[in-house]
Amino acid sequence: MVLKSRTYALMVMMAWASTMFVLLKHLQYGITERSRENAKIKPQALVSNISRGKFLLRENTTSYLGKVEDENKIYVQLEPEPINSIQTSWDLQREAVRCMFQEAWTVYKKHAFGCDEVLPISMKCVDSFGNIGTTVIDSLDTLILLGLEDDFKEAVAWIAEHYTLQRSTKISVFETTIRNLGGLLSAYNLRPLPVLLEAAEMTGEWLLGAYATPSGLPAFAMGLGELPKDAKSTSLADAGTQLLEHSELSNLTKRHIFKDSAKKAFEVLLQELEKRIQDGRTALLPVDIQLMESSVSFGGFLSIGPKGDSFYEYLLKLWIYEGKPESMERYRLLWESTMDAMIEKLLVRDAGTGLVYLGDGKENIKSVSNRMHHLACFVPGMLALGAEGPNTEKYLQVAKELAYTCWQMYQLQPTKLAADSASFSSGRLWAASRRHCLRPEVVESLFYLWRRTGDPIYREQAWEIAKALNQSSRVATGGFTTLLNVESGEKGDFTPSFFYSETLKYLYLIFSPNDIVPLQDFVFNTEAHPFPIRKAE
Ligand code: DMJ
C-alpha cells in the first residue's frame, strides 16, 4: 500500500514536471518570439505607441528606452543565447537608438532644416558655421545607415538647391573639411548620386584657398573663398586634419590637386615631429601654431584633447585608409612614437581614485594637469583600432583603463552624463566644467573596444549612456539638448551636428552586427564618416 502510494506520488510528480517542462518551453518560445516581433516594430510605431501610453512602464517612466530594456531583460533571462548569435539580443537597443535619431531629426527638420544647427527648446536654429547646411550634410550617411531613405532624399534635394560656401562670414576650414566634405564623400560612397560628388568637389575647391599660406599649412578660417588678412594662428588639429578627406576627394574625382595640397601641409607637421624625435625631444607636437611669413612656429603646450586630438588620429587612419602599404610605414611608426610619448608624458594614475587619465602638459615640465577632457576620450578607441604588433597588449591595456575612466565620468554624475572635462583631486573625480555637450568620444571608444574585444561590457556601458541621454537630455517637446550642468541637470538649448553624425551613429553601430560598416573595409574620419579602405598597392 505504502509502495503503491509512493509510486503514485512519483507518477504524479513526473507528470507535473513534464507538464511544467512543456509549459515553460512553450512560454520561453512564446516570449522569445514576441521579443523578436518587437525588434521588428517600426520606430515610428514604437514611438507613437509609447506616446499613446501603450508602452507605459512599471517604473512609470515615459521613456521608450525603458520599455525596450524591460523586454530585453525578459528575453535574456529566459533564453540565454548561444555565444555566436548573441548579437540578435541587442536588436531592441538598436531600434531604440534609431528612434532617438528619428526624433532628433524630426526636431531639426521642423525648426531648422538647412540651418547649421538646431536649438530644440526655443525651437529656433543657429548658423554656428556661417550658414553652410552643416546638420543636413553631417547627417547624410546616418540617414542612409538607419534606412531613412525619404529623409535622405529630402536632404539631397536641399543640397542640390541650396548648398553653397559663398558666405560673407569667416568659415572654419577644419569644420568644413570634417563635417561637410567628409559627410558628402561618405554619402556619395554609399549612394553614388552625382550631386553629392559635385557638392564635395565644390567644397574641396573652396578649401584649396586655405593652403595659400607661406608654409602651405591651411589657414584656420576663410571668408568668401579668400584667406583672411589675420590668418596667422591655427592649431595642430585644425592644420593636421585634412589629408584623409582630400585623399578621398582626389580618388573619386581623379584630380590630384586636393590630395597634393593637403599632403604638402601634413608633411610640414610630420617633418617637425621627426625633427623633434631625432633631437631626443618628446614625440608630440604642441597644439598652438603660428603661421609666420617664412616659417611656422610652435608653442609649448601639449594636449591629446582640444586642439591636438585628430592630428594623432589621422596619423593612424591615413595608414589604414591607404591599405597599410609599406610605403606608408612611416605614418604607422610615427603614430606609435606619439602613442608611446603620450603614455610616458601625459598618462597619469590618480592615487586617490586609482583611475588613469590623460592630462595636458608642457614640453619641458614634468607634471601634467589633473584634468581630462571629454575630447581626449577618443584615445581608447584609437588605441583599440591601432593596437597591432609588439605593442598590442600595452595599447589595449591602456585603452581599457582609459575607457573605464571615461565611463566613470558619466556614471559618477547625478545625471549619468559626463561633464566636458573631469578633474581628479582629493580622492575623487569631479566635474571640472559643468556642461555636457552630447559629444561622441566615449561611445566612439566603446564602439571600437566592442569591435576589438567582443566583450559585452562595452555594449552594456553604451546602453547606460543611451538611457542617460534619454533620461537627462531629452526635451519634453522632442529632441535632445546639451546640459548646462551635469549635477543639477539644468538644460542648455542646443543639438550639435555631431550628435547626428557621430554620437547616435556609434551608438547605433555598437548594437548592430559587426558586418555593418566592418572595420576591415572602412575607416571613419574624425566626424564618423566612413570611407572605404583602399587596396594596398
Ligand atoms: C567632432 O566634431 C570631431 O570628432 C572632432 O574631431 C572633435 N570633436 C568633435 C565632437 O566632440
Side-chain angles (χ1 to χ4, degrees), residues 9 81 118 141 183 199 238 259 325 338 380 463 527 529:
E81 290 270 326
V118 67
D141 54 15
D238 281 274
K259 183 174 179 178
T338 60
W463 182 238
E527 188 75 3
H529 298 302

Coordinates of all heavy atoms in Angstrom, one line a residue, residues 9 81 118 141 183 199 238 259 325 338 380 463 527 529:
A9 N 2.6 8.8 -6.1 CA 3.1 10.1 -5.9 C 4.2 10.4 -6.9 O 4.2 11.5 -7.4 CB 3.6 10.3 -4.4
E81 N 21.3 33.1 -25.1 CA 21.7 32.8 -26.5 C 23.0 32.1 -26.6 O 23.9 32.4 -25.8 CB 21.8 34.1 -27.2 CG 20.5 34.8 -27.4 CD 19.8 34.4 -28.7 OE1 20.5 34.2 -29.7 OE2 18.6 34.3 -28.7
V118 N 20.3 73.1 -34.6 CA 19.0 73.4 -34.1 C 19.1 73.7 -32.6 O 20.0 73.2 -31.8 CB 18.0 72.2 -34.3 CG1 18.4 71.0 -33.5 CG2 16.6 72.6 -34.0
D141 N 25.0 60.3 -44.1 CA 25.3 58.8 -44.0 C 24.6 58.1 -42.8 O 24.3 56.9 -42.9 CB 26.8 58.5 -44.1 CG 27.6 59.2 -43.0 OD1 27.0 59.8 -42.0 OD2 28.8 59.3 -43.1
G183 N 31.2 64.4 -44.9 CA 29.8 63.9 -44.9 C 29.4 63.7 -46.4 O 28.8 62.7 -46.7
A199 N 28.9 68.5 -55.1 CA 28.9 69.3 -53.9 C 30.3 69.1 -53.1 O 30.8 70.1 -52.6 CB 27.8 69.0 -53.0
D238 N 43.5 71.7 -36.3 CA 43.0 72.4 -37.4 C 43.8 72.2 -38.6 O 43.4 72.1 -39.8 CB 42.9 73.9 -37.1 CG 41.6 74.2 -36.2 OD1 40.6 74.4 -36.8 OD2 41.7 74.2 -35.0
K259 N 44.6 66.2 -52.9 CA 45.5 65.4 -52.1 C 46.9 66.0 -52.0 O 47.5 66.1 -50.9 CB 45.6 64.0 -52.7 CG 46.5 63.0 -51.8 CD 46.4 61.6 -52.4 CE 47.3 60.7 -51.5 NZ 47.3 59.3 -52.0
P325 N 50.0 50.1 -46.7 CA 51.1 49.7 -47.6 C 52.5 50.0 -46.9 O 52.6 50.8 -46.0 CB 50.9 50.6 -48.8 CG 50.3 51.8 -48.2 CD 49.4 51.4 -47.1
T338 N 54.2 58.6 -31.2 CA 53.4 59.6 -30.4 C 52.6 58.9 -29.3 O 52.5 59.5 -28.2 CB 52.4 60.3 -31.4 OG1 51.6 59.4 -32.0 CG2 53.2 61.2 -32.4
P380 N 41.0 55.9 -26.1 CA 40.9 54.4 -26.0 C 40.4 53.7 -27.3 O 41.0 52.7 -27.7 CB 39.8 54.2 -24.9 CG 39.6 55.5 -24.3 CD 40.3 56.6 -25.1
W463 N 24.8 51.2 -23.6 CA 23.3 51.3 -23.3 C 23.0 52.2 -22.1 O 22.0 52.9 -22.1 CB 22.8 49.8 -23.1 CG 21.3 49.7 -22.9 CD1 20.7 49.2 -21.8 CD2 20.3 50.2 -23.8 NE1 19.3 49.3 -22.0 CE2 19.1 49.9 -23.1 CE3 20.3 50.9 -25.0 CZ2 17.8 50.3 -23.7 CZ3 19.1 51.2 -25.6 CH2 17.9 50.9 -24.9
E527 N 34.9 62.8 -37.9 CA 33.5 63.1 -37.7 C 32.5 61.9 -37.9 O 31.4 62.0 -38.2 CB 33.1 64.3 -38.6 CG 31.8 65.0 -38.4 CD 31.6 65.9 -37.2 OE1 32.6 66.1 -36.5 OE2 30.5 66.4 -37.0
H529 N 32.4 59.8 -40.4 CA 32.0 59.5 -41.8 C 32.9 58.3 -42.3 O 34.1 58.5 -42.5 CB 32.1 60.7 -42.7 CG 31.2 61.8 -42.2 ND1 29.8 61.6 -42.0 CD2 31.4 63.1 -41.8 CE1 29.3 62.7 -41.5 NE2 30.2 63.6 -41.4

